[in-house]
């Protein structure tokens, strides 16, 4: 059993980072990648812009959509994304710490549904969303990656995540895609010891 | 409204036991009170349960079950947690714009228009639709049946009073939605809120209806059910879609939330897309 789902949380300054990562994924990437990018509720263009950086199939999540490998899923603006085993649910509950979609909520539900098969990634941003969720991913046996704050456009969010998850892999953004592929090949370490 | 941070399962809690306890709780609530939450989407349901457990000063789901079954006021509080959904006026302005352009011309051809707003919550979107129909000159020959499982939110909806501090946001939504007047014409500042004109709801019937357990109660030209079924699992969504299908005549209109789709449902082939982006469908078989 290896990793199934990569969950990515990103806020201010995220477009460049996302383009770098999505653009460096090779066709053998066969996990599902789920991205929560904080944005205004009428910003619809993100998916189109991001698609220009990457050959990976990507689109915005529809409620109850199945989770398939090798796909990139974007949280739609103004909805929370909840990860269930095998599919997504959306919600319009109140924002959590001013954010809808909330990175923490998406991460926590992914940790609940996929346990040690999750890799959580926190990128550039100007708030603390994602730190608690990343902690839960690691507590349930998943892996954590944090963009090196020194190389992030806005260091607040990766710094908060690193403070909460000191065991995270801290790497510059251009090393994240290669690291994901390496983790995919290696599989979840706790499963090997079984 | 206060920010709702829904708690997750306590770290030491067994996931498997948690699911057993939740299933027992929901079964008990259904058999004792008749409310059926057994097919609600698990991740958000679970968080709402833990929020209630914390608020009651309890620490297990079984503890909540004990309290809910023996103390009806606790059930009422839990019902609020499980059934209240957040909404706003002219939420998704582009939907209302599309409705104006694509659905209103169809409605003009009917002498009388029946609309079912299923899961209307506190009513913001009912008032939005009433304003739209008023501006199109259709409100006096329309009847809107606005239903929700929760009687408390229906009472709020009936008052027509909404938070004054939301009016700036709603005005912007209204304009983006193609509103043709000044939004402030529709309300007066009163009771520390914005009181909407009672003429908007003269033809609105607010009534309790449970999409999970109740049957269809009439036939409608339009059914609106936006961002309600996202809290249901897929089998329940299919059952509710069957209910809507039976409640629409041929060429009846069904509108769901802009991030919902018939694509993952059993009734996909029974409808054609009138507006694919805004999820407005028309029954064709």
């Amino acid at each position: 059993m290896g990793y199934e789902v990569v969950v990515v949380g990103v806020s201010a300054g995220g477009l460049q980072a996302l383009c770098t990562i999505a653009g460096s994924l090779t066709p053998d990437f066969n996990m599902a990648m789920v991205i929560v990018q904080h944005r205004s509720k009428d910003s619809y263009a993100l998916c189109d812009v991001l698609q220009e950086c990457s050959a990976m199939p990507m689109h915005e999540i529809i409620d109850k959509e199945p989770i398939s490998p090798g796909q990139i899923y974007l949280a739609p603006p103004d909805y929370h994304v909840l990860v269930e085993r095998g599919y997504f649910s959306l919600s319009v509950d109140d924002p959590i710490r001013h954010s809808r979609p909330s990175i923490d909520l998406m991460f926590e539900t992914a940790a609940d549904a996929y346990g040690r098969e999750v890799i959580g990634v926190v990128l550039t941003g100007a708030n603390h969303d994602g730190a608690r969720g990343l902690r839960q991913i690691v507590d349930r046996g998943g892996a954590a990656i944090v963009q090196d704050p020194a190389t992030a456009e806005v260091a607040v969010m990766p710094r908060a995540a690193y403070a909460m998850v000191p065991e995270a892999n801290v790497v510059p953004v251009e090393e994240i895609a290669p690291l994901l592929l390496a983790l995919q090949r290696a599989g979840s370490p706790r499963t090997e010891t079984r | 409204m206060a920010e709702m941070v829904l708690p997750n399962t306590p770290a030491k809690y067994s996931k498997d036991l948690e699911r057993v306890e939740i299933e027992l709780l929901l079964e008990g609530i259904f058999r004792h009170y008749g409310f059926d939450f057994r097919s609600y989407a698990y991740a958000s349901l679970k968080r709402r349960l833990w929020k209630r457990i914390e608020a009651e000063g309890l620490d297990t789901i079984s503890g909540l079950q004990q309290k809910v079954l023996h103390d009806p006021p606790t059930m009422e509080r839990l019902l609020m947690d499980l059934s209240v959904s957040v909404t706003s006026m002219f939420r998704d302005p582009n939907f209302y714009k599309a409705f104006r352009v694509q659905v209103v011309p169809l409605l003009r051809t009917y002498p009388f228009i029946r609309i079912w707003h299923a899961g209307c919550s506190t009513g913001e979107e009912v008032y939005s639709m009433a304003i739209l129909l008023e501006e199109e000159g259709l409100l006096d020959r329309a009847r809107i049946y606005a239903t929700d499982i929760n009687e408390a939110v229906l009472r709020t909806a009936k008052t027509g009073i909404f938070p004054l501090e939301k009016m700036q946001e709603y005005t912007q939504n209204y304009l983006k939605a193609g509103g043709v007047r000044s939004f402030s014409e529709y309300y007066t500042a009163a009771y520390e809120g914005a009181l909407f004109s009672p003429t908007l709801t003269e033809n609105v019937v607010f009534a309790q209806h449970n999409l999970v357990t109740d049957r269809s109660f009439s036939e409608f030209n339009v059914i609106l059910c936006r961002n309600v079924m996202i809290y249901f699992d897929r089998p329940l969504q299919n059952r509710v879609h069957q209910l809507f299908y039976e409640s629409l005549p041929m060429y009846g209109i069904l509108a769901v939330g802009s991030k919902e789709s018939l694509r993952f449902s059993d009734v996909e082939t029974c409808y054609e897309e009138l507006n694919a982006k805004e999820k407005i469908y028309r029954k064709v078989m």
Side-chain angles (χ1 to χ4, degrees), chain A residues 92-106:
Chain A
V92 289
D93 287 354
D94 280 324
I96 296 172
R97 290 179 278 276
H98 311 292
S99 298
R100 185 171 67 200
S102 156
I103 299 168
D104 280 335
L105 179 61
M106 193 273 277

Side-chain angles (χ1 to χ4, degrees), chain B residues 205-254:
Chain B
V205 179
F206 290 102
Q208 200 217 21
H209 180 277
N210 186 338
L211 285 171
V212 186
T213 49
D214 292 343
R215 310 270 321 156
S216 170
F217 57 99
S218 190
E219 196 171 83
F220 303 92
N221 306 106
V222 178
I223 296 176
L224 304 165
C225 187
R226 307 182 65 241
N227 298 322
V228 174
M229 286 188 279
I230 54 179
Y231 296 100
F232 300 167
D233 69 13
R234 220 181 312 171
L236 177 56
Q237 287 186 350
N238 276 323
R239 270 159 51 206
V240 176
H241 271 303
Q242 195 60 40
L243 173 67
F244 291 160
Y245 179 80
E246 289 164 11
S247 306
L248 285 170
M250 191 62 101
Y251 306 123
I253 302 292
L254 173 66

Side-chain angles (χ1 to χ4, degrees), chain A residues 113-173:
Chain A
Y114 283 89
R116 63 167 76 97
E117 299 158 293
V118 182
I119 303 171
V121 184
V122 174
L123 303 175
T124 168
N127 56 69
H128 291 193
D129 200 6
R132 292 163 200 242
L134 195 64
R135 180 71 257 160
Q136 292 212 11
I137 287 172
V138 172
D139 287 346
R140 295 201 193 282
I145 300 174
V146 172
Q147 181 180 4
D148 181 352
T151 69
E153 289 199 37
V154 186
V156 177
M157 206 162 88
R159 203 173 277 147
Y162 178 59
M164 206 117 165
V165 188
E167 60 269 59
N169 299 281
V170 178
V171 295
V173 69

Side-chain angles (χ1 to χ4, degrees), chain B residues 13-238:
Chain B
Y13 220 87
S14 152
K15 302 253 111 192
D16 296 336
L17 182 58
E18 177 184 45
R19 196 175 266 272
V20 170
E21 285 183 278
I22 288 178
E23 285 174 9
L24 290 171
L25 168 67
L26 299 180
E27 184 68 24
I29 289 172
F30 174 60
R31 288 175 57 179
H32 189 60
Y33 292 103
F35 292 110
D36 190 355
F37 294 105
R38 295 174 299 175
S39 299
Y40 272 48
Y42 188 73
S44 62
L45 174 85
K46 184 183 91 162
R47 281 175 166 69
R48 289 174 183 219
L49 291 176
W50 280 108
K51 182 188 170 213
R52 179 47 43 204
I53 290 164
E54 285 186 2
E56 301 289 331
L58 302 166
D59 51 17
T60 62
I61 298 157
S62 298
L64 181 65
Q65 175 181 323
Q66 144 96 10
K67 196 163 181 207
V68 154
L69 291 182
H70 292 278
D71 179 46
T74 306
M75 181 64 225
E76 273 175 44
R77 292 192 290 275
L78 180 61
L79 184 62
M80 289 299 287
D81 297 332
L82 296 184
S83 63
V84 173
S85 67
V86 181
T87 178
S88 55
M89 285 198 175
F90 295 98
R91 186 191 155 95
D92 305 323
N94 288 335
F95 163 75
Y96 289 91
K97 201 180 245 177
F99 193 92
R100 225 181 251 268
V101 174
Q102 291 177 277
V103 180
V104 162
L106 304 173
L107 299 183
R108 283 194 198 291
T109 64
Y110 303 138
F112 192 70
I113 304 157
R114 299 164 64 82
I115 297 175
W116 179 13
H117 198 129
C120 68
S121 192
T122 39
E124 283 84 343
E125 294 179 67
V126 179
Y127 285 79
S128 309
M129 185 54 68
I131 288 170
L132 186 158
L133 294 172
E134 156 70 14
E135 292 183 358
E136 297 295 333
L138 292 175
L139 187 59
D140 27 338
R141 57 175 149 130
R143 177 148 295 184
I144 302 176
Y145 296 83
T147 65
D148 200 276
I149 180 183
N150 184 322
E151 300 207 53
V153 296
L154 289 172
R155 283 196 291 276
T156 304
K158 275 184 216 172
T159 65
I161 301 170
F162 299 103
L164 205 50
E165 68 268 18
K166 292 275 190 185
M167 290 308 127
Q168 200 179 349
E169 177 197 336
Y170 293 173
T171 303
Q172 284 175 7
N173 284 356
Y174 167 78
L175 293 172
K176 282 185 209 159
V180 295
R181 296 186 198 160
S182 161
F183 188 61
S184 57
E185 281 177 35
Y186 294 106
Y187 65 87
T188 48
Y191 308 106
E192 294 169 358
L195 172 65
F196 278 73
S197 168
T199 56
L200 290 171
T201 46
E202 267 170 15
N203 292 338
V204 178
V205 179
F206 290 102
Q208 200 217 21
H209 180 277
N210 186 338
L211 285 171
V212 186
T213 49
D214 292 343
R215 310 270 321 156
S216 170
F217 57 99
S218 190
E219 196 171 83
F220 303 92
N221 306 106
V222 178
I223 296 176
L224 304 165
C225 187
R226 307 182 65 241
N227 298 322
V228 174
M229 286 188 279
I230 54 179
Y231 296 100
F232 300 167
D233 69 13
R234 220 181 312 171
L236 177 56
Q237 287 186 350
N238 276 323

Side-chain angles (χ1 to χ4, degrees), chain A residues 43-186:
Chain A
S43 113
Y44 300 111
L46 179 64
C47 195
D48 295 339
V49 174
L50 206 50
Q51 187 71 76
E52 285 178 18
C53 314
S54 172
M56 295 278 297
M58 63 177 75
H59 62 272
E60 285 189 0
I61 294 162
I62 293 282
D63 180 59
K64 299 299 169 312
E65 175 168 8
I67 297 174
S68 306
Q71 300 272 329
I72 296 180
Y73 299 94
L74 284 171
D78 213 22
Y79 285 84
H80 289 303
V81 171
L82 297 96
V83 177
E84 311 262 12
R85 184 88 205 177
Y87 63 95
F88 297 106
S89 282
L90 299 178
S91 112
V92 289
D93 287 354
D94 280 324
I96 296 172
R97 290 179 278 276
H98 311 292
S99 298
R100 185 171 67 200
S102 156
I103 299 168
D104 280 335
L105 179 61
M106 193 273 277
F107 279 17
E108 287 175 17
T109 54
D112 278 358
Y114 283 89
R116 63 167 76 97
E117 299 158 293
V118 182
I119 303 171
V121 184
V122 174
L123 303 175
T124 168
N127 56 69
H128 291 193
D129 200 6
R132 292 163 200 242
L134 195 64
R135 180 71 257 160
Q136 292 212 11
I137 287 172
V138 172
D139 287 346
R140 295 201 193 282
I145 300 174
V146 172
Q147 181 180 4
D148 181 352
T151 69
E153 289 199 37
V154 186
V156 177
M157 206 162 88
R159 203 173 277 147
Y162 178 59
M164 206 117 165
V165 188
E167 60 269 59
N169 299 281
V170 178
V171 295
V173 69
E174 59 276 7
E175 289 176 25
I176 291 178
L179 179 55
L180 288 173
L181 290 160
L183 285 168
Q184 174 183 298
R185 282 190 294 273

